[in-house]
Amino acid sequence: MCESKPVTGPIPIHVGRIPGGAQLDLAALTRLVVGDVLDALLQGDDTTLWDLLHEVAAPSAGAAERLDREELEQQLVERASSRVPLYGPAAKRLAASILTAAGAHVPQQRGEAA
């Protein structure tokens, strides 16, 4: 489904065709995000997120009500990676790969003489 050669960068992006469009495979970003979440949960000097995770999973007898899962999710999202940097021509290669996978024509640049 995905092309064999990814658009390179700190986080490789594989582009593949799907019916009616393109699909980006960001497995490297997923690994980075999961690592960020684990780091946040296992931070030794601040157990706030770990405690919140356990409170959401099984509220203590003293808790007035079950803590909101969205609160935990928001705090983890704030600590997780979300950006994929592309340097130099990688952005153009990604755009061309997406357009190719989506079946769109990539126009050639015209020379100055044209």
Side-chain angles (χ1 to χ4, degrees), residues 21-102:
Q23 175 176 302
L24 303 181
D25 181 347
L26 299 169
L29 179 61
T30 300
R31 281 191 298 278
L32 183 63
V33 170
V34 169
D36 289 347
V37 169
L38 286 174
D39 288 346
L41 285 169
L42 300 175
Q43 190 172 22
D45 58 337
D46 181 4
T47 62
T48 303
L49 288 173
W50 180 260
D51 296 339
L52 184 56
L53 174 66
H54 282 270
E55 193 62 35
V56 168
S60 66
E65 62 182 58
R66 186 178 177 132
L67 290 176
D68 198 8
R69 174 194 154 100
E70 285 79 23
E71 179 184 348
L72 174 61
E73 182 177 315
Q74 181 58 38
Q75 289 191 35
L76 290 171
V77 166
E78 289 172 7
R79 290 168 172 81
S81 300
S82 65
R83 293 181 175 89
V84 177
L86 296 172
Y87 301 106
K92 289 182 180 179
R93 286 195 311 272
L94 177 60
S97 294
I98 292 170
L99 288 172
T100 298

Coordinates of all heavy atoms in Angstrom, one line a residue, residues 21-102:
G21 N -7.6 8.7 -2.9 CA -6.7 9.6 -2.3 C -5.4 9.0 -1.9 O -4.9 8.1 -2.6
A22 N -4.8 9.6 -0.9 CA -3.5 9.1 -0.4 C -3.5 8.8 1.0 O -4.4 9.4 1.8 CB -2.4 10.2 -0.7
Q23 N -2.6 8.0 1.5 CA -2.5 7.7 2.9 C -1.1 7.9 3.4 O -0.2 7.5 2.7 CB -2.9 6.2 3.1 CG -2.7 5.7 4.5 CD -3.2 4.3 4.7 OE1 -4.3 4.0 4.4 NE2 -2.3 3.4 5.1
L24 N -1.0 8.6 4.5 CA 0.3 8.8 5.1 C 0.6 7.9 6.2 O -0.3 7.7 7.1 CB 0.4 10.3 5.6 CG 0.2 11.4 4.6 CD1 0.3 12.7 5.3 CD2 1.1 11.3 3.4
D25 N 1.7 7.2 6.2 CA 2.0 6.2 7.3 C 3.1 6.9 8.1 O 4.2 7.2 7.7 CB 2.6 4.9 6.7 CG 2.9 3.9 7.8 OD1 3.0 4.3 9.0 OD2 3.2 2.8 7.4
L26 N 2.7 7.3 9.3 CA 3.5 8.0 10.3 C 3.9 7.1 11.4 O 3.8 7.5 12.6 CB 2.9 9.3 10.7 CG 2.5 10.3 9.6 CD1 1.6 11.4 10.2 CD2 3.8 10.9 9.1
A27 N 4.3 5.9 11.2 CA 4.7 5.0 12.2 C 5.8 5.5 13.1 O 5.7 5.3 14.3 CB 5.1 3.6 11.6
A28 N 6.7 6.2 12.6 CA 7.8 6.8 13.4 C 7.3 7.8 14.3 O 7.7 8.0 15.5 CB 8.9 7.3 12.5
L29 N 6.3 8.6 13.9 CA 5.7 9.6 14.8 C 4.9 8.9 15.9 O 4.9 9.4 17.0 CB 4.8 10.6 14.0 CG 4.0 11.6 14.8 CD1 5.0 12.6 15.5 CD2 3.1 12.4 13.9
T30 N 4.2 7.9 15.5 CA 3.5 7.1 16.5 C 4.4 6.6 17.6 O 4.1 6.7 18.8 CB 2.7 5.9 15.9 OG1 1.8 6.5 14.9 CG2 1.9 5.1 16.9
R31 N 5.5 6.0 17.2 CA 6.5 5.6 18.2 C 7.0 6.7 19.1 O 7.2 6.6 20.3 CB 7.7 4.9 17.5 CG 7.4 3.5 17.1 CD 8.7 2.7 16.6 NE 9.3 3.3 15.5 CZ 8.9 3.2 14.2 NH1 7.9 2.4 13.9 NH2 9.6 3.7 13.2
L32 N 7.2 7.9 18.5 CA 7.7 9.0 19.2 C 6.6 9.5 20.2 O 6.9 9.8 21.4 CB 8.0 10.2 18.3 CG 8.6 11.5 18.9 CD1 9.9 11.2 19.6 CD2 8.8 12.5 17.8
V33 N 5.4 9.5 19.8 CA 4.3 10.0 20.7 C 4.1 9.0 21.9 O 4.0 9.4 23.0 CB 3.0 10.1 19.9 CG1 1.8 10.3 20.8 CG2 3.0 11.3 18.9
V34 N 4.1 7.7 21.6 CA 4.0 6.7 22.6 C 5.2 6.8 23.6 O 5.0 6.7 24.8 CB 3.9 5.3 22.0 CG1 4.1 4.2 23.1 CG2 2.6 5.1 21.3
G35 N 6.4 7.0 23.1 CA 7.5 7.2 24.0 C 7.3 8.5 24.9 O 7.6 8.4 26.0
D36 N 6.8 9.6 24.3 CA 6.6 10.8 25.1 C 5.5 10.5 26.2 O 5.7 11.0 27.3 CB 6.0 11.9 24.2 CG 7.1 12.5 23.2 OD1 8.3 12.2 23.4 OD2 6.7 13.2 22.3
V37 N 4.5 9.8 25.8 CA 3.4 9.5 26.8 C 4.0 8.6 27.9 O 3.8 8.9 29.1 CB 2.2 8.8 26.2 CG1 1.3 8.3 27.2 CG2 1.5 9.8 25.2
L38 N 4.8 7.6 27.6 CA 5.4 6.7 28.6 C 6.4 7.5 29.5 O 6.4 7.4 30.7 CB 6.1 5.6 27.9 CG 5.2 4.5 27.4 CD1 6.0 3.4 26.6 CD2 4.4 3.8 28.5
D39 N 7.2 8.4 28.9 CA 8.1 9.2 29.6 C 7.3 10.1 30.6 O 7.7 10.2 31.8 CB 8.9 10.1 28.7 CG 10.0 9.4 28.0 OD1 10.2 8.2 28.3 OD2 10.5 9.9 27.0
A40 N 6.2 10.7 30.2 CA 5.4 11.5 31.0 C 4.8 10.7 32.2 O 4.8 11.2 33.3 CB 4.3 12.2 30.2
L41 N 4.3 9.5 31.9 CA 3.7 8.7 32.9 C 4.7 8.2 33.9 O 4.4 8.0 35.1 CB 2.9 7.5 32.3 CG 1.6 7.8 31.6 CD1 1.1 6.7 30.8 CD2 0.6 8.3 32.7
L42 N 5.9 7.9 33.5 CA 6.9 7.2 34.3 C 7.9 8.2 34.9 O 8.9 7.8 35.4 CB 7.6 6.1 33.5 CG 6.7 5.0 33.0 CD1 7.5 4.1 32.1 CD2 6.0 4.3 34.1
Q43 N 7.6 9.5 34.8 CA 8.5 10.5 35.3 C 8.6 10.3 36.8 O 7.6 10.4 37.6 CB 8.0 11.9 35.0 CG 8.9 13.0 35.3 CD 8.4 14.3 34.7 OE1 7.2 14.5 34.5 NE2 9.3 15.3 34.5
G44 N 9.8 10.1 37.3 CA 10.1 9.7 38.7 C 9.8 10.8 39.7 O 9.3 10.6 40.8
D45 N 10.1 12.1 39.3 CA 9.9 13.1 40.3 C 8.5 13.8 40.3 O 8.2 14.5 41.2 CB 11.0 14.2 40.1 CG 10.9 14.8 38.7 OD1 10.4 14.1 37.8 OD2 11.4 15.9 38.5
D46 N 7.7 13.4 39.4 CA 6.4 14.0 39.3 C 5.4 12.9 38.9 O 5.3 12.5 37.7 CB 6.3 15.2 38.3 CG 4.9 15.8 38.3 OD1 4.0 15.4 39.0 OD2 4.7 16.7 37.4
T47 N 4.6 12.4 39.8 CA 3.7 11.3 39.6 C 2.3 11.7 39.3 O 1.4 10.9 39.3 CB 3.7 10.3 40.8 OG1 3.2 11.0 41.9 CG2 5.1 9.7 41.0
T48 N 2.1 13.0 39.0 CA 0.8 13.5 38.8 C 0.0 12.7 37.7 O -1.1 12.3 37.9 CB 0.8 15.0 38.4 OG1 1.5 15.7 39.4 CG2 -0.5 15.6 38.2
L49 N 0.6 12.5 36.5 CA -0.1 11.8 35.5 C -0.3 10.4 35.8 O -1.4 9.8 35.5 CB 0.7 11.9 34.2 CG 0.7 13.3 33.5 CD1 1.6 13.4 32.3 CD2 -0.7 13.7 33.1
W50 N 0.7 9.7 36.4 CA 0.5 8.3 36.8 C -0.7 8.2 37.8 O -1.5 7.3 37.7 CB 1.8 7.8 37.5 CG 1.7 6.4 37.9 CD1 1.5 5.9 39.2 CD2 1.8 5.2 37.1 NE1 1.4 4.6 39.2 CE2 1.6 4.1 37.9 CE3 2.0 5.0 35.8 CZ2 1.7 2.8 37.5 CZ3 2.1 3.7 35.3 CH2 1.9 2.6 36.1
D51 N -0.7 9.1 38.8 CA -1.8 9.1 39.8 C -3.2 9.4 39.1 O -4.2 8.7 39.4 CB -1.6 10.2 40.8 CG -0.3 9.9 41.7 OD1 0.1 8.7 41.7 OD2 0.2 10.8 42.3
L52 N -3.2 10.3 38.1 CA -4.4 10.6 37.4 C -4.9 9.4 36.6 O -6.1 9.1 36.5 CB -4.2 11.9 36.5 CG -5.4 12.4 35.8 CD1 -6.6 12.7 36.7 CD2 -5.0 13.6 35.0
L53 N -3.9 8.7 35.9 CA -4.3 7.5 35.2 C -4.9 6.5 36.0 O -6.0 6.0 35.7 CB -3.0 6.9 34.5 CG -3.2 5.6 33.8 CD1 -4.1 5.8 32.6 CD2 -1.8 5.0 33.4
H54 N -4.4 6.3 37.2 CA -5.0 5.3 38.1 C -6.3 5.8 38.7 O -7.2 5.0 38.9 CB -4.0 5.0 39.3 CG -2.9 4.0 38.8 ND1 -3.0 2.7 38.9 CD2 -1.7 4.3 38.2 CE1 -2.0 2.1 38.4 NE2 -1.1 3.1 38.0
E55 N -6.4 7.0 38.9 CA -7.7 7.6 39.4 C -8.8 7.5 38.3 O -10.0 7.1 38.6 CB -7.5 9.0 39.8 CG -8.7 9.6 40.6 CD -8.9 8.9 41.9 OE1 -7.9 8.4 42.6 OE2 -10.1 8.7 42.3
V56 N -8.4 7.7 37.1 CA -9.4 7.5 36.0 C -9.8 6.0 35.8 O -11.0 5.7 35.6 CB -8.9 8.1 34.6 CG1 -9.7 7.7 33.4 CG2 -8.7 9.6 34.7
A57 N -8.8 5.1 36.0 CA -9.1 3.7 35.8 C -9.9 3.2 36.9 O -10.8 2.3 36.7 CB -7.8 2.9 35.7
A58 N -9.7 3.6 38.1 CA -10.4 3.0 39.3 C -10.4 4.1 40.4 O -9.4 4.2 41.2 CB -9.7 1.8 39.8
P59 N -11.4 4.9 40.4 CA -11.4 6.0 41.4 C -11.3 5.5 42.8 O -11.9 4.4 43.1 CB -12.7 6.7 41.1 CG -13.5 5.9 40.2 CD -12.6 4.9 39.6
S60 N -10.6 6.2 43.7 CA -10.5 5.8 45.1 C -11.8 6.0 45.8 O -12.7 6.7 45.3 CB -9.4 6.6 45.8 OG -9.8 8.0 45.8
A61 N -12.0 5.3 46.9 CA -13.2 5.4 47.7 C -13.5 6.9 48.1 O -14.6 7.2 48.2 CB -13.1 4.5 48.9
G62 N -12.4 7.7 48.3 CA -12.6 9.0 48.7 C -13.0 10.0 47.6 O -13.3 11.1 47.8
A63 N -12.8 9.5 46.3 CA -13.1 10.4 45.2 C -14.6 10.7 45.1 O -15.4 9.8 45.2 CB -12.6 9.8 43.9
A64 N -15.0 12.0 45.0 CA -16.4 12.3 44.9 C -17.0 11.8 43.6 O -18.1 11.3 43.6 CB -16.5 13.9 44.9
E65 N -16.3 11.8 42.5 CA -16.8 11.2 41.3 C -15.6 10.7 40.4 O -14.5 11.2 40.7 CB -17.6 12.2 40.5 CG -16.9 13.5 40.1 CD -17.8 14.5 39.4 OE1 -18.8 14.9 40.0 OE2 -17.4 14.8 38.3
R66 N -15.9 9.9 39.5 CA -14.8 9.4 38.6 C -14.2 10.6 37.8 O -14.9 11.4 37.2 CB -15.4 8.3 37.7 CG -14.3 7.7 36.8 CD -14.9 6.6 36.0 NE -13.9 6.1 35.1 CZ -13.7 4.8 35.0 NH1 -14.4 3.9 35.6 NH2 -12.7 4.4 34.2
L67 N -12.9 10.6 37.8 CA -12.2 11.7 37.1 C -12.5 11.5 35.6 O -12.6 10.4 35.1 CB -10.7 11.7 37.3 CG -10.3 12.1 38.7 CD1 -8.8 12.0 38.9 CD2 -10.8 13.6 39.0
D68 N -12.5 12.6 34.9 CA -12.8 12.7 33.5 C -11.6 12.2 32.7 O -10.5 12.7 32.8 CB -13.2 14.1 33.1 CG -13.9 14.2 31.8 OD1 -14.3 13.2 31.3 OD2 -14.1 15.3 31.4
R69 N -11.8 11.2 31.8 CA -10.8 10.7 30.9 C -10.2 11.8 30.0 O -9.0 11.8 29.7 CB -11.4 9.6 30.1 CG -10.5 9.1 29.0 CD -11.2 8.2 28.0 NE -10.5 8.2 26.8 CZ -9.7 7.3 26.3 NH1 -9.6 6.2 27.1 NH2 -9.1 7.4 25.2
E70 N -11.1 12.8 29.6 CA -10.6 13.8 28.8 C -9.5 14.7 29.4 O -8.6 15.2 28.8 CB -11.8 14.7 28.3 CG -12.7 14.1 27.2 CD -13.6 13.1 27.8 OE1 -14.0 13.1 29.0 OE2 -14.1 12.2 27.0
E71 N -9.6 14.8 30.7 CA -8.6 15.6 31.5 C -7.2 14.9 31.3 O -6.2 15.6 31.1 CB -9.0 15.8 32.9 CG -7.9 16.5 33.7 CD -8.3 16.6 35.2 OE1 -9.4 16.2 35.6 OE2 -7.4 17.0 36.0
L72 N -7.2 13.6 31.5 CA -6.0 12.9 31.4 C -5.5 13.0 29.9 O -4.3 13.2 29.7 CB -6.2 11.4 31.8 CG -5.0 10.5 31.6 CD1 -3.7 10.9 32.4 CD2 -5.3 9.1 31.9
E73 N -6.4 12.7 29.0 CA -6.0 12.8 27.6 C -5.4 14.1 27.2 O -4.4 14.2 26.6 CB -7.3 12.5 26.7 CG -7.0 12.5 25.3 CD -8.2 12.2 24.5 OE1 -8.9 11.2 24.8 OE2 -8.4 12.9 23.5
Q74 N -6.0 15.2 27.7 CA -5.5 16.6 27.4 C -4.1 16.8 27.9 O -3.2 17.3 27.3 CB -6.5 17.6 27.9 CG -6.0 19.1 27.6 CD -5.8 19.3 26.1 OE1 -6.6 18.8 25.3 NE2 -4.8 20.1 25.8
Q75 N -3.9 16.3 29.2 CA -2.6 16.5 29.7 C -1.5 15.7 29.0 O -0.4 16.1 28.8 CB -2.6 16.1 31.2 CG -3.3 17.1 32.1 CD -3.1 16.9 33.5 OE1 -2.1 16.5 34.0 NE2 -4.2 17.2 34.3
L76 N -1.9 14.5 28.5 CA -0.9 13.6 27.8 C -0.7 14.3 26.4 O 0.5 14.3 25.9 CB -1.4 12.2 27.6 CG -1.4 11.4 28.9 CD1 -2.1 10.1 28.8 CD2 0.0 11.2 29.4
V77 N -1.7 14.8 25.8 CA -1.6 15.4 24.5 C -0.6 16.6 24.5 O 0.2 16.8 23.7 CB -2.9 15.9 23.9 CG1 -2.8 16.8 22.7 CG2 -3.8 14.7 23.5
E78 N -0.7 17.3 25.6 CA 0.2 18.5 25.8 C 1.7 18.1 25.9 O 2.6 18.8 25.6 CB -0.2 19.3 27.1 CG -1.5 20.0 26.9 CD -2.0 20.6 28.2 OE1 -1.2 20.6 29.3 OE2 -3.1 21.1 28.3
R79 N 1.9 16.8 26.3 CA 3.3 16.4 26.5 C 3.8 15.5 25.3 O 5.0 15.2 25.2 CB 3.4 15.5 27.7 CG 3.3 16.4 29.0 CD 3.1 15.5 30.2 NE 3.2 16.2 31.5 CZ 2.1 16.9 32.0 NH1 1.0 17.0 31.4 NH2 2.3 17.5 33.1
A80 N 2.9 15.2 24.4 CA 3.3 14.3 23.3 C 3.7 15.1 22.0 O 3.2 16.2 21.8 CB 2.1 13.3 22.9
S81 N 4.5 14.4 21.2 CA 4.9 15.0 19.9 C 3.8 15.1 18.9 O 2.9 14.3 18.9 CB 6.0 14.2 19.3 OG 7.1 14.1 20.2
S82 N 3.8 16.2 18.2 CA 2.7 16.4 17.2 C 3.2 17.0 15.9 O 2.5 17.0 14.9 CB 1.6 17.3 17.7 OG 2.1 18.6 18.0
R83 N 4.5 17.4 15.8 CA 5.0 18.1 14.6 C 6.0 17.2 13.9 O 6.8 16.5 14.6 CB 5.6 19.4 15.0 CG 4.6 20.4 15.5 CD 5.3 21.7 15.9 NE 4.3 22.7 16.3 CZ 3.9 22.8 17.5 NH1 4.3 22.1 18.5 NH2 3.0 23.7 17.8
V84 N 5.9 17.2 12.6 CA 6.9 16.5 11.8 C 7.7 17.5 11.0 O 7.2 18.1 10.0 CB 6.1 15.5 10.8 CG1 7.1 14.8 9.9 CG2 5.2 14.6 11.5
P85 N 9.0 17.7 11.3 CA 9.8 18.6 10.6 C 10.2 18.0 9.3 O 10.5 16.9 9.1 CB 11.0 18.9 11.5 CG 11.1 17.6 12.3 CD 9.7 17.1 12.5
L86 N 10.2 18.9 8.2 CA 10.7 18.5 6.9 C 11.7 19.6 6.5 O 11.4 20.7 6.5 CB 9.5 18.5 5.9 CG 8.5 17.4 6.1 CD1 7.3 17.6 5.2 CD2 9.0 16.0 6.0
Y87 N 12.9 19.1 6.2 CA 14.0 20.1 5.8 C 14.3 20.0 4.3 O 14.2 18.9 3.7 CB 15.2 19.7 6.6 CG 15.0 19.8 8.1 CD1 14.9 18.6 8.9 CD2 14.8 21.0 8.8 CE1 14.7 18.7 10.3 CE2 14.5 21.1 10.1 CZ 14.5 19.9 10.9 OH 14.2 20.0 12.2
G88 N 14.7 21.1 3.8 CA 15.1 21.2 2.4 C 14.0 20.8 1.5 O 12.9 21.1 1.6
P89 N 14.4 19.9 0.5 CA 13.4 19.5 -0.5 C 12.4 18.4 0.0 O 11.6 18.0 -0.8 CB 14.3 19.0 -1.6 CG 15.5 18.5 -0.9 CD 15.8 19.4 0.2
A90 N 12.5 18.0 1.2 CA 11.6 17.0 1.7 C 10.2 17.4 1.6 O 9.3 16.5 1.3 CB 12.0 16.6 3.1
A91 N 9.9 18.6 1.9 CA 8.5 19.1 1.8 C 7.9 19.0 0.4 O 6.8 18.5 0.2 CB 8.4 20.5 2.3
K92 N 8.8 19.3 -0.6 CA 8.3 19.2 -2.0 C 8.2 17.8 -2.4 O 7.2 17.4 -3.1 CB 9.3 19.9 -2.9 CG 9.3 21.4 -2.8 CD 10.3 22.1 -3.8 CE 10.2 23.6 -3.6 NZ 11.1 24.2 -4.5
R93 N 9.1 16.9 -1.9 CA 8.9 15.5 -2.2 C 7.7 14.9 -1.6 O 7.0 14.1 -2.2 CB 10.2 14.7 -1.7 CG 11.4 14.9 -2.6 CD 12.5 13.9 -2.4 NE 12.8 13.7 -1.0 CZ 13.7 14.4 -0.3 NH1 14.4 15.4 -0.8 NH2 14.0 14.1 1.0
L94 N 7.4 15.3 -0.4 CA 6.1 14.9 0.3 C 4.9 15.3 -0.5 O 4.0 14.5 -0.8 CB 6.1 15.3 1.7 CG 4.8 15.0 2.5 CD1 4.6 13.5 2.5 CD2 4.8 15.6 3.9
A95 N 4.9 16.6 -0.9 CA 3.7 17.1 -1.7 C 3.6 16.3 -3.0 O 2.5 15.9 -3.4 CB 3.9 18.6 -1.9
A96 N 4.7 16.1 -3.7 CA 4.7 15.3 -4.9 C 4.2 13.9 -4.7 O 3.4 13.4 -5.5 CB 6.1 15.4 -5.6
S97 N 4.7 13.3 -3.6 CA 4.3 11.9 -3.3 C 2.8 11.8 -3.0 O 2.1 10.9 -3.5 CB 5.0 11.4 -2.1 OG 6.4 11.2 -2.4
I98 N 2.3 12.8 -2.3 CA 0.8 12.8 -2.0 C 0.0 13.0 -3.3 O -1.0 12.3 -3.5 CB 0.5 13.9 -0.9 CG1 1.1 13.5 0.4 CG2 -1.0 14.1 -0.8 CD1 1.1 14.6 1.4
L99 N 0.4 14.0 -4.1 CA -0.3 14.2 -5.3 C -0.2 13.0 -6.2 O -1.2 12.6 -6.9 CB 0.3 15.4 -6.0 CG 0.0 16.8 -5.4 CD1 0.7 17.9 -6.0 CD2 -1.5 17.1 -5.4
T100 N 0.9 12.3 -6.3 CA 1.0 11.1 -7.1 C 0.1 10.0 -6.6 O -0.6 9.4 -7.4 CB 2.5 10.7 -7.2 OG1 3.3 11.7 -7.8 CG2 2.6 9.4 -8.0
A101 N 0.1 9.8 -5.3 CA -0.7 8.8 -4.7 C -2.2 9.1 -4.9 O -3.0 8.2 -5.1 CB -0.4 8.6 -3.2
A102 N -2.5 10.4 -4.9 CA -3.9 10.8 -5.0 C -4.4 10.8 -6.5 O -5.5 11.0 -6.7 CB -4.1 12.1 -4.4

